[in-house]
Amino acid sequence: MPAEKKRGERKMQILQVIAEMLQDPKGERITTALLAKKLDVSEAALYRHFASKAQMYEGLIEFIEQSVFGVANKIVADEDNALKQMHAIMSMLLGFAERNPGMVRVLIGDALVNENERLQLRINQLHDRIEATLKQCLRLAATQGHEEPDPAARANLMLCYVVGRWQQFAKSGFKRLPSDLWDKHWPMLV
């Protein structure tokens, strides 16, 4: 196996183990020593793949960005109806959290406490991009005959809903699913 491929697989393995560790409902801080122990490698071995723990978290954030915006862009490209776009995007965001509970702790910033502040800034930018995507859907909805007096305010409300559901999920020890009551909440949101 080529060394570069093996290196890439090891990086992915490190990120997967971090994501698994973040699923611990106790939400303990992840240290490189604990991560190395879980992987049965030395801390020095971790640093051959990532220059810092912040880079490890950046790898998780990149995974989230690629996953979320890859699907959101496909939804927008495949669906003409703006309200259906928005529903599908929000459903995807809630479902992503359920399938990736460890990532929720990154999305809400829990895992980033006491880490490099640029990580929280990057999550804030991710939230801003989600809000902008929802705002685009609402602007399109207005052109399709759905009255929307303030797309920016509604997009912010939608983002707050999603982030709130993620927060409940994490704080409940991953027991309160983000999609619980979604079918009843959606009509209230639109």
Side-chain angles (χ1 to χ4, degrees):
M1 179 180 294
E4 190 61 36
K5 185 174 181 185
K6 198 171 191 176
R7 182 172 163 79
E9 288 176 8
R10 181 55 121 178
K11 282 180 93 165
M12 284 305 300
Q13 182 186 25
I14 292 168
L15 295 176
Q16 287 172 336
V17 170
I18 294 171
E20 289 169 12
M21 292 171 72
L22 287 169
Q23 291 180 40
D24 182 353
K26 295 176 195 157
E28 294 179 26
R29 187 163 187 252
I30 295 174
T31 63
T32 53
L34 189 57
L35 178 59
K37 184 178 177 184
K38 285 259 189 203
L39 287 162
D40 198 27
V41 299
S42 69
E43 283 185 75
L46 293 176
Y47 290 114
R48 281 195 288 275
H49 300 283
F50 294 96
S52 65
K53 192 163 80 165
Q55 268 192 0
M56 294 175 200
Y57 281 113
E58 284 175 339
L60 292 176
I61 294 169
E62 285 172 19
F63 169 80
I64 293 167
E65 289 172 336
Q66 290 169 359
S67 300
V68 165
F69 293 109
V71 174
N73 291 338
K74 184 169 177 14
I75 290 168
V76 169
D78 292 349
E79 177 58 61
D80 292 331
N81 182 294
L83 291 180
K84 287 182 180 178
Q85 285 177 3
M86 196 164 45
H87 182 272
I89 290 169
M90 290 187 63
S91 295
M92 175 270 298
L93 292 168
L94 299 173
F96 177 84
E98 288 180 20
R99 288 185 305 281
N100 302 281
M103 299 299 184
V104 173
R105 294 198 45 231
V106 175
L107 282 163
I108 63 172
D110 270 10
L112 307 177
V113 173
N114 299 320
E115 299 298 338
N116 189 305
E117 67 185 48
R118 81 173 181 271
L119 297 170
Q120 186 59 57
L121 291 173
R122 187 139 175 215
I123 287 297
N124 294 349
Q125 290 172 339
L126 185 144
H127 288 194
D128 290 345
R129 283 181 63 195
I130 291 170
E131 187 172 352
T133 301
L134 295 171
K135 193 183 327 180
Q136 284 179 314
C137 293
L138 288 161
R139 286 186 178 140
L140 178 60
T143 68
Q144 294 175 343
H146 301 283
E147 189 174 325
E148 182 50 60
D150 193 343
R154 175 124 16 219
N156 182 259
L157 174 67
M158 300 288 193
L159 176 67
C160 290
Y161 174 82
V162 169
V163 173
R165 298 301 296 177
W166 290 343
Q167 183 87 13
Q168 284 182 326
F169 185 44
K171 297 301 179 185
S172 71
F174 306 112
K175 290 179 179 52
R176 268 186 97 173
L177 298 179
S179 63
D180 285 349
L181 302 173
W182 169 233
D183 291 336
K184 292 183 182 185
H185 290 166
W186 172 247
M188 294 178 208
L189 292 168
V190 294

